[in-house]
Amino acid sequence: MLLAIDVGNTNITCAAYKDRALVNEWRISTSGSRTAEEYGVWLSQAMTIDGLKLNDVTHAIVATVVPETLFNIKGFCRRYFGVTPLVIGESNVDLGMTPLIDRPSEAGADRLVNAVGAHSLYGGPLVVIDFGTATNFDVVDADGNYIGGVIAPGVNLSLDALYRAAAKLPRIAVERPQRVIGKNTIECMQAGIYCGYIAMVEGLVSRIRDEYGSEMKTVATGGLAPLFSRGTEMIEIVNGDLTLAGLVEIFYRNS
């Protein structure tokens, strides 16, 4: 069984796959100080609840955007599974695609993995929107190569900035408003965040398509992708497990 580990800025997702089929997945908050033993205790308990065992895992692959987690993630895989994981960005891992950007080493592991996953599932060219801590727009050409993109503040990051910087604004949840013109503070904030990000999605995807010079599919991932996809026809496909799908694809390309 393959364990795909996606380390994001907010959460770590571990997903078990058997012959490319998802068996189960588990999440824990990201912490750079968490030890290999802590990962082991958490995952062993989570897997046991779902009728699985640590020794069911025979391979592992990791993508992380938080470098300080990597040492203990590797130690966790070696100690509890007896395997050395493939790590996105290391020289022995072939993505099966080329980052066509100025400094390929600067491309985030999650962006490259999303590009691989999206192209393997939907072809290309396409725009991949990841609603994470940052909102990323990643552009993939017809051959599956990552050719660049856009990084914008994430939805929750923007909400948190409003709450912290403006003394009289409350902390709110992201919801689709009934109207754009709010009649109270909360409605105004929800309209600003939701409708503002919808406008950003539509504007940036339109500009990306114009600059690329052809029609492109638009795929969205991340926890807020379903909510925002309901507000615009610009988002054609929603896949919450896109990063994990990319990790699985890369693993099999390197098998």
Side-chain angles (χ1 to χ4, degrees), residues 51-187:
L52 300 170
K53 301 184 292 294
L54 289 177
N55 60 13
D56 291 334
V57 175
T58 55
H59 302 87
I61 185 168
V62 179
T64 179
V65 296
V66 186
E68 58 266 31
T69 64
L70 186 55
F71 179 82
N72 285 324
I73 290 282
K74 283 184 170 182
F76 156 64
C77 290
R78 293 189 185 106
R79 176 169 180 177
Y80 291 92
F81 310 132
V83 302
T84 298
L86 293 176
V87 177
I88 304 303
E90 293 190 348
S91 59
N92 64 321
V93 178
D94 179 13
L95 299 179
M97 55 86 90
T98 304
L100 301 177
I101 57 177
D102 293 341
R103 298 180 181 87
S105 62
E106 292 182 358
D110 56 338
R111 306 181 78 181
L112 298 177
V113 171
N114 282 346
V116 171
H119 189 266
S120 69
L121 291 171
Y122 310 115
L126 47 82
V127 181
V128 181
I129 307 172
D130 188 350
F131 290 95
T133 305
T135 301
N136 294 330
F137 295 75
D138 297 314
V139 184
V140 185
D141 69 14
D143 297 322
N145 299 309
Y146 173 74
I147 63 172
V150 177
I151 301 175
V155 177
N156 287 316
L157 196 62
S158 296
L159 278 174
D160 191 56
L162 277 177
Y163 170 73
R164 291 179 183 275
K168 296 186 70 173
L169 294 183
R171 189 185 294 275
I172 66 169
V174 184
E175 294 181 11
R176 184 178 182 180
Q178 294 182 347
R179 51 183 173 256
V180 176
I181 303 173
K183 299 297 185 181
N184 55 62
T185 299
I186 291 178
E187 284 186 356

Side-chain angles (χ1 to χ4, degrees), residues 176-236:
R176 184 178 182 180
Q178 294 182 347
R179 51 183 173 256
V180 176
I181 303 173
K183 299 297 185 181
N184 55 62
T185 299
I186 291 178
E187 284 186 356
C188 290
M189 292 177 67
Q190 287 175 337
I193 290 295
Y194 188 87
C195 299
Y197 270 82
I198 289 294
M200 181 179 73
V201 166
E202 292 176 340
L204 283 175
V205 171
S206 178
R207 286 171 179 264
I208 288 169
R209 287 175 173 173
D210 287 345
E211 189 169 302
Y212 186 79
S214 74
E215 285 298 310
M216 310 172 79
K217 297 176 186 175
T218 305
V219 183
T221 190
L224 291 173
L227 176 64
F228 281 92
S229 70
R230 291 193 286 272
T232 176
E233 294 181 357
M234 194 70 81
I235 297 174
E236 300 166 271

